[in-house]
Every structure is written in C-alpha cells, then in structure tokens.
Amino acid sequence: MTISRRILLQGTAAASAIGTFHIGTASAQTPEFSYKYANNLPLAHPMNVRANEAVEKIKAETKGRVAIQIFPNNQLGSDTDMLSQVRSGGVEFFTLSPLILSTLVPNASVSGIGFAFPNYDSVWKAMDGELGAYVRGQIGKANLVVMDKIWDNGFRQMTSSKAPINTPDDLKGLKIRVPVSPLWTSMFTAFQSAPASINFAEVYTALQTKIVDAQENPLAIISTAKLFEVQKYCSLTNHMWDGFWFLGNKRAWERLPEDLRAIVAKNLNAAAELERADVAKLNAGLRDDLTSKGMVFNETKADPFRDALRKAGFYAEWKKKYGDEAWGILEKAVGGSLS
C-alpha cells in the first residue's frame, strides 16, 4: 500500500473508519479479548492507517478472539493522561515518543539527543540494534511491555510565526512550544530560548493565541495538525529524530495466551516498518504541499547548532544524566563523539 500526500492531507476510507468502536471484519463472535489502543495523531497520519490494517489482520488471524479499538487524536486525553492509563490498565496499548516517555523512563530519551543522527540509515541501524535494545530494556523495568520495532515520527523541524530560524542566535528569547519532556526544555534553554512545555492537544490554540510563537515537529505532523494555519516559517533543522514506542499494559499483555501474543506482536511490528517507509516518503515530499499553503522554508546547517549546544554544556550534562553505558551506545550508533 503506497500512501500519497493526498491521503495524508485528506484521510482515507480506512483512516475514516478509525474511531471509538471495534475495527475489523464484522463477526458475530464476541471477542475473547477486547483491548483499546490510544494515540495522539490525526486520523490521516500513516500511523493510524497502518495500525488500522494491523488490527484487521490481528482480528482475522486470531479468528476474532482479539479485537482492538483505536482511539486516535488524543480522544482519551493528553499524552501524560494516556501514559497513566496504559500503566493502570485503563487502556491496553499506547504509542508514545521516547522523549515524553522519559518522564517515566529517564533514559528512554537518549535516542532524541539534539543533532545526533545525521540520517535515517543511522536511525534504523541504532533503533533496530543495540540502542533500541538498551531502551526497551529500560522500558521493561518500568513494568510496561514494548514492541520490538519503534514507529517513525520523523526528523523534527522548527516553525515560527515571527521569522526564519537560520542560526542558533535566531532562537535567543524565542517563545517556543516543546513537548512535556526535560530533554526538550534543556536543549532550548541551552539555545537561550523561552521553551514552554505544552501537551500536543493544546499546541494549535497556543500558537493561535500567541502564548508561544514557535514550535517544532516533523513535517507530517505540521501538515496533518494544520499548524501551517498558525505558523508562517519552517526551518529545516532536522534537530532531533523522534519515534513512537508501541507500549502495552503488562497485565493485559500477560492475559493473552502466548500464541495470540505472537500474532499481535508480529502484526504490530510489521505495521511499524511499513509506517516508517510511509512517513519518510511523506516528510520528504511535503515541502511543496506546505509551501502551497503559504509556509516559507529555509535550510540550515547542523554544525553551528551542535557547536552552540556543546559550548552551553548540553551534551556534557546529558552524558552525566544518562550514564556512560547509554551515552557510549549512542555515540557508537552515530559514529562519533558528541560531547
């Protein structure tokens, strides 16, 4: 299945079918396991399209024994609310950025260190390899289940309603929304910005009412969340790579017989890999779409931003917080010293 930009912007019949009801082939059989999956992304985002396909396959392959409802677009609350719900069992599954997950699992955010990954090849080598395995081990210690394959959110870009961001100096004093995560706050504080931690569900309004003047997200989210309506400038900084770990409530997961767990995990991991290709393709092609909507783009170079963070002590601070083991795995993954 190839997902075009048109599907991203307008949604699809498959995505439109997602909501607060069971998804899958109609069946008279009452499911033995009815689970809820919550996320914070719009219906048309590839994650929801691919998740919809996965739950259809799960229902078919388990012969109707496992039915998963999808609750997209923060229907069940903010990221922090849903993280609490997946821990308590209020929902059984939830996808979350490792950077926000770090409020519970501190070292989960090591993959999001600013200006660490130069390209997607280095990302997948790390996240499907030693770095991903390390982070999953940390998540497991927090009594959560996590699937093997991380889903893609994309490289993050900075947008502003005031002016383009070309150099680190352009970030000084800028009121910028960041997710509720210490790593983001720390990075933009190092740039001498004025970061404000705001849940994603409130971002559009915060930009519209000028509580903040800027934000940062991958192009696919800037598009699907219509942030182009309240932001004029988009600076292609690629300052962080971000993804989504597919998390499960441990008690709910362990209620599934082993054969059903294998079917669920297989389909969710396969969907993650398909979604990665979709998001990379969309983010690469969305510049023209967003330009047509009035956004003005500029490209930046990573080195001046990386140097500014190094001089501000950002890398040294986070190396100390994560510890030598995690930092060593990260530097090995990106092929060089950051600090």
Side-chain angles (χ1 to χ4, degrees), residues 193-267:
S193 306
S197 295
I198 299 172
N199 270 299
F200 185 72
E202 301 159 23
V203 169
Y204 187 100
T205 303
L207 293 166
Q208 188 177 42
T209 56
K210 305 293 185 184
I211 291 171
V212 289
D213 296 311
Q215 67 86 50
E216 47 78 66
N217 259 303
L219 295 184
I221 288 183
I222 292 167
S223 178
T224 53
K226 300 187 183 300
L227 299 184
F228 55 83
E229 295 177 350
V230 286
Q231 298 279 271
K232 181 166 182 66
Y233 301 98
C234 184
S235 303
L236 297 174
T237 50
N238 289 320
H239 56 277
M240 286 176 166
W241 173 80
D242 193 20
F244 298 100
W245 286 116
F246 203 106
L247 306 171
N249 175 272
K250 190 173 183 181
R251 292 183 303 279
W253 183 251
E254 290 177 348
R255 281 199 299 272
L256 292 174
E258 198 168 327
D259 61 327
L260 298 187
R261 281 187 228 167
I263 291 170
V264 173
K266 176 192 74 174
N267 282 289

Side-chain angles (χ1 to χ4, degrees), residues 244-314:
F244 298 100
W245 286 116
F246 203 106
L247 306 171
N249 175 272
K250 190 173 183 181
R251 292 183 303 279
W253 183 251
E254 290 177 348
R255 281 199 299 272
L256 292 174
E258 198 168 327
D259 61 327
L260 298 187
R261 281 187 228 167
I263 291 170
V264 173
K266 176 192 74 174
N267 282 289
L268 292 177
N269 286 323
E273 296 208 66
L274 292 169
E275 185 264 1
R276 292 175 182 184
D278 297 336
V279 171
K281 191 179 296 180
L282 286 167
N283 281 328
L286 274 171
R287 180 171 177 171
D288 289 344
D289 286 316
L290 290 168
T291 298
S292 73
K293 304 245 189 286
M295 292 202 91
V296 177
F297 281 80
N298 67 288
E299 296 184 11
T300 64
K301 295 188 183 303
D303 286 346
F305 291 90
R306 198 180 288 119
D307 289 344
L309 291 178
R310 196 174 284 121
K311 288 174 186 173
F314 171 79

Side-chain angles (χ1 to χ4, degrees), residues 160-225:
S160 170
S161 60
K162 298 183 77 173
I165 296 156
N166 288 294
T167 70
D169 285 344
D170 295 327
L171 290 168
K172 290 180 179 177
L174 183 67
K175 292 189 296 180
I176 184 167
R177 174 268 174 177
V178 297
V180 183
S181 169
L183 181 61
W184 263 292
T185 304
S186 171
M187 187 175 86
F188 284 97
T189 299
F191 285 131
Q192 300 177 49
S193 306
S197 295
I198 299 172
N199 270 299
F200 185 72
E202 301 159 23
V203 169
Y204 187 100
T205 303
L207 293 166
Q208 188 177 42
T209 56
K210 305 293 185 184
I211 291 171
V212 289
D213 296 311
Q215 67 86 50
E216 47 78 66
N217 259 303
L219 295 184
I221 288 183
I222 292 167
S223 178
T224 53

Side-chain angles (χ1 to χ4, degrees), residues 7-304:
I7 289 175
L8 175 73
L9 300 172
Q10 297 179 5
T12 64
S16 298
I18 299 170
T20 54
F21 49 83
H22 288 297
I23 295 183
T25 307
S27 171
Q29 179 183 348
T30 301
E32 191 176 342
F33 301 95
S34 292
Y35 283 0
K36 295 190 278 295
Y37 159 48
N39 66 67
N40 65 4
L41 292 183
L43 289 173
H45 192 280
M47 189 167 79
N48 275 314
V49 177
R50 293 301 188 180
N52 183 43
E53 292 175 351
V55 299
E56 291 270 10
K57 290 175 182 175
I58 288 165
K59 189 166 188 179
E61 290 179 30
T62 63
K63 297 181 170 54
R65 293 175 69 193
V66 179
I68 299 173
Q69 294 174 274
I70 300 178
F71 295 81
N73 211 27
N74 291 111
Q75 285 182 7
L76 299 184
S78 68
D79 287 341
T80 43
D81 292 334
M82 290 187 286
L83 180 57
S84 294
Q85 289 175 53
V86 78
R87 294 180 70 199
S88 68
V91 299
E92 286 77 21
F93 297 116
F94 174 42
T95 33
L96 183 64
S97 162
L99 299 154
I100 300 172
L101 181 58
S102 68
T103 57
L104 173 66
V105 183
N107 279 18
S109 61
V110 68
S111 59
I113 283 290
F115 298 94
F117 291 110
N119 52 45
Y120 266 123
D121 286 346
S122 62
V123 167
W124 301 132
K125 184 178 177 183
M127 300 313 293
D128 289 339
E130 189 178 1
L131 187 63
Y134 170 80
V135 173
R136 290 194 301 277
Q138 297 294 305
I139 294 170
K141 291 176 184 177
N143 219 28
L144 287 169
V145 171
V146 58
M147 297 297 112
D148 287 345
K149 299 290 184 181
I150 192 168
W151 299 52
D152 190 22
N153 192 5
F155 280 95
R156 302 179 76 92
Q157 319 299 348
M158 300 182 196
T159 71
S160 170
S161 60
K162 298 183 77 173
I165 296 156
N166 288 294
T167 70
D169 285 344
D170 295 327
L171 290 168
K172 290 180 179 177
L174 183 67
K175 292 189 296 180
I176 184 167
R177 174 268 174 177
V178 297
V180 183
S181 169
L183 181 61
W184 263 292
T185 304
S186 171
M187 187 175 86
F188 284 97
T189 299
F191 285 131
Q192 300 177 49
S193 306
S197 295
I198 299 172
N199 270 299
F200 185 72
E202 301 159 23
V203 169
Y204 187 100
T205 303
L207 293 166
Q208 188 177 42
T209 56
K210 305 293 185 184
I211 291 171
V212 289
D213 296 311
Q215 67 86 50
E216 47 78 66
N217 259 303
L219 295 184
I221 288 183
I222 292 167
S223 178
T224 53
K226 300 187 183 300
L227 299 184
F228 55 83
E229 295 177 350
V230 286
Q231 298 279 271
K232 181 166 182 66
Y233 301 98
C234 184
S235 303
L236 297 174
T237 50
N238 289 320
H239 56 277
M240 286 176 166
W241 173 80
D242 193 20
F244 298 100
W245 286 116
F246 203 106
L247 306 171
N249 175 272
K250 190 173 183 181
R251 292 183 303 279
W253 183 251
E254 290 177 348
R255 281 199 299 272
L256 292 174
E258 198 168 327
D259 61 327
L260 298 187
R261 281 187 228 167
I263 291 170
V264 173
K266 176 192 74 174
N267 282 289
L268 292 177
N269 286 323
E273 296 208 66
L274 292 169
E275 185 264 1
R276 292 175 182 184
D278 297 336
V279 171
K281 191 179 296 180
L282 286 167
N283 281 328
L286 274 171
R287 180 171 177 171
D288 289 344
D289 286 316
L290 290 168
T291 298
S292 73
K293 304 245 189 286
M295 292 202 91
V296 177
F297 281 80
N298 67 288
E299 296 184 11
T300 64
K301 295 188 183 303
D303 286 346

